[in-house]
Amino acid sequence: MDKAKPFCISKREVWEAYQQVKSNRGAAGVDGQSMKEFETDLKNNLYRIWNRMSSGSYMPPPVLRVDIPKAGGAGTRPLGIPTISDRIAQTVVKRYLELLVEPVFHHDSYGYRPGRSAHQALNVARQRCWEYEWVLDLDIKNFFGSIDWELMMRAVRCHTDCAWVLLYIERWLKAPVQMPDGTVVHPDKGTPQGGVITPLTTLHTFHSVV
């Protein structure tokens, strides 16, 4: 049955993606569905994700935008919260792509990488404070919100030509955003912080540019 689908995505991948999303918890998206509610019809919900992704018909729902305060009270940071189903679909793609791009990242890159944490980065920074007399602090203003879609897709294509991975990443980039007041906007650049696939693709694009 799996082989009759245009895209070769196994049901096991969807199942393991669901388990990963469940362990990470997270708030409900635009549909208001919690993980507990999703699990009341788990088998059919997971089958629906697999069926649509493997047939090429999966279309991401709008991302729910939530503004959270920045550290130190310097304004707010926009977060995009996908639905439970969409987080599972994004995790399927992330698990595939991560195996390809993880070896490319610099050894001293710690953000959003498996087996690495901010605590590890702090420990390394603390050690190097005894070795060097200088520090370089770099911040790209609104990087997530202004990233060029074509540049991102070009970076991803450097490491995979998998049709369904490229298809769904592009669809997630173009997914509509539901604002706090209920209006829906259609962005023409950037990618919302808060998505499962967002950190991996934006981090890889940044490394490719640098």
Side-chain angles (χ1 to χ4, degrees):
M1 183 176 181
D2 292 15
K3 293 181 180 179
K5 299 291 185 180
F7 299 139
C8 184
I9 303 173
S10 71
K11 293 187 176 88
R12 171 168 285 278
E13 276 299 323
V14 177
W15 170 256
E16 292 181 355
Y18 148 71
Q19 291 181 312
Q20 193 170 329
V21 170
K22 181 179 181 179
S23 67
N24 292 334
R25 302 183 181 181
V30 293
D31 59 1
Q33 185 182 52
S34 65
M35 178 59 76
K36 184 177 180 179
E37 292 169 330
F38 180 87
E39 291 177 329
T40 59
D41 193 17
L42 181 61
K43 182 177 180 179
N44 286 328
N45 284 332
L46 292 180
Y47 177 84
R48 191 175 297 113
I49 295 171
W50 168 81
N51 186 47
R52 291 177 179 174
M53 290 192 74
S54 58
S55 66
S57 62
Y58 181 81
M59 297 297 295
V63 174
L64 178 64
R65 172 164 165 168
V66 177
D67 295 320
I68 62 170
K70 288 184 178 180
T76 60
R77 183 186 308 279
L79 285 184
I81 303 176
T83 63
I84 297 294
S85 294
D86 200 43
R87 289 209 286 275
I88 294 172
Q90 289 189 35
T91 302
V92 171
V93 174
K94 176 180 179 287
R95 285 165 55 88
Y96 179 96
L97 186 61
E98 196 167 58
L99 293 173
L100 301 176
V101 301
E102 176 63 22
V104 178
F105 291 129
H106 193 278
H107 177 71
D108 276 346
S109 175
Y110 292 89
Y112 306 106
R113 293 180 63 190
R116 292 174 177 250
S117 67
H119 292 294
Q120 291 176 318
L122 287 172
N123 287 336
V124 172
R126 187 178 297 112
Q127 294 170 12
R128 290 181 180 168
C129 283
W130 298 99
E131 301 175 18
Y132 302 98
E133 298 180 350
W134 55 271
V135 62
L136 179 63
D137 183 20
L138 174 66
D139 182 27
I140 301 178
K141 183 178 180 181
N142 193 30
F143 179 66
F144 282 86
S146 60
I147 192 167
D148 184 275
W149 290 348
E150 184 179 348
L151 179 63
M152 176 179 286
M153 294 306 301
R154 192 187 312 162
V156 174
R157 288 190 184 96
C158 286
H159 296 278
T160 183
D161 59 357
C162 181
W164 59 270
V165 169
L166 298 173
L167 172 68
Y168 291 129
I169 289 178
E170 190 163 10
R171 285 183 182 176
W172 280 313
L173 286 174
K174 298 178 180 179
V177 178
Q178 181 173 305
M179 306 300 286
D181 62 2
T183 59
V184 176
V185 300
H186 296 269
D188 57 5
K189 61 181 179 180
T191 180
Q193 297 184 60
V196 174
I197 195 67
T198 297
L200 180 64
T201 51
T202 51
L203 182 62
H204 178 53
T205 304
F206 175 76
H207 275 254
S208 299
V209 172
V210 174

